[in-house]
Amino acid sequence: MEITASEMKKSIQKIYERLDKVSPVDFDCGKLCGEVCCVYDEDNNNTEELVLYLLPGEELMYEDSPEFELYYMDSSEIRYPHSWKDSIYLVKCVNPPRCDRSIRPIQCRTFPLVPHISKDGEFHLILDETEFPYECPILRDHIRLNDDFIKVTYEVWKMLIRNPLVYDLVDMDSKDREKRTSSYKTVI
Ligand code: SF4
Ligand code: SF4
């Protein structure tokens, strides 16, 4: 039975609510770095633009938000798994680092952890050290992440990869990562 848009939106809302209850650290880490992960832009460092890729269904959260500009790309325009045949949605943060935090995307909520599927097919969370040109002080200074943040983030991603599209995306990113480096740090 196909899931309706309203059911999909409710399930994303539940994920956001679960992640709202935890935080990577118990202080405002943005004060350490000027919220660089919100304001960094690859082509034009520290501009006011930031774009985040959405997972399937997240686009339903942004239809009426003035703080996020929702748009989409054709899946053929970008290197994405072949299973992603429909449009790929993205949001631009209109006024970073300020935003409606209750609807910030999953990609933003689970940083600095990312999902990874190892060569033996095991699912893990690892530190997202390799993919950003800016320095995150949590990673640089080896600041310990909260246990409940790790646990909830793990459970959420484990649930998300039950969606074959999400699995294929995590799998593709993981294979790319394994080709680049074997020195990523597994958290769980
Ligand atoms: S997650 Fe890292 S880069 Fe982002 S605000 Fe916190 S310390 Fe800064
Ligand atoms: S969604 Fe909000 S917290 Fe996340 S990067 Fe954009 S402005 Fe920063």
Side-chain angles (χ1 to χ4, degrees), residues 53 71-81 84-90:
Y53 286 85
Y71 62 104
Y72 64 89
M73 294 167 72
D74 192 281
S75 53
S76 61
E77 289 174 53
I78 181 173
R79 185 171 172 267
Y80 247 55
W84 287 63
K85 300 207 186 309
D86 297 330
S87 301
I88 293 164
Y89 286 90
L90 305 91

Side-chain angles (χ1 to χ4, degrees), residues 37-38 50 52 68 93 95-99 101 104-105 108:
C37 61
C38 285
L50 182 76
L52 296 160
F68 295 96
C93 307
N95 193 25
R98 284 160 292 284
C99 71
R101 291 181 66 83
R104 68 196 193 286
C108 172

Side-chain angles (χ1 to χ4, degrees), residues 82-145:
H82 296 305
S83 52
W84 287 63
K85 300 207 186 309
D86 297 330
S87 301
I88 293 164
Y89 286 90
L90 305 91
V91 281
K92 191 183 283 182
C93 307
V94 170
N95 193 25
R98 284 160 292 284
C99 71
D100 177 357
R101 291 181 66 83
S102 72
I103 55 166
R104 68 196 193 286
I106 289 167
Q107 182 193 329
C108 172
R109 290 162 182 269
T110 63
F111 184 78
L113 296 175
V114 276
H116 183 82
I117 297 165
S118 59
K119 282 183 184 156
D120 56 7
E122 289 290 319
F123 173 74
H124 297 282
L125 289 179
I126 63 168
L127 292 178
D128 195 355
E129 292 182 302
T130 53
E131 304 182 9
F132 294 93
Y134 55 78
E135 209 172 36
C136 166
I138 292 182
L139 301 176
R140 182 194 63 210
D141 301 338
H142 310 290
I143 295 173
R144 189 184 152 88
L145 296 171

Side-chain angles (χ1 to χ4, degrees), residues 1 131 159:
M1 198 173 63
E131 304 182 9
M159 189 173 64

Side-chain angles (χ1 to χ4, degrees), residues 15 40 57 84 108 126 147 163:
I15 290 171
Y40 187 90
W84 287 63
C108 172
I126 63 168
D147 289 340
N163 178 334

Side-chain angles (χ1 to χ4, degrees), residues 18-29:
R18 283 199 74 190
L19 290 168
D20 274 341
K21 294 194 172 79
V22 293
S23 179
V25 289
D26 288 332
F27 56 91
D28 181 1
C29 60

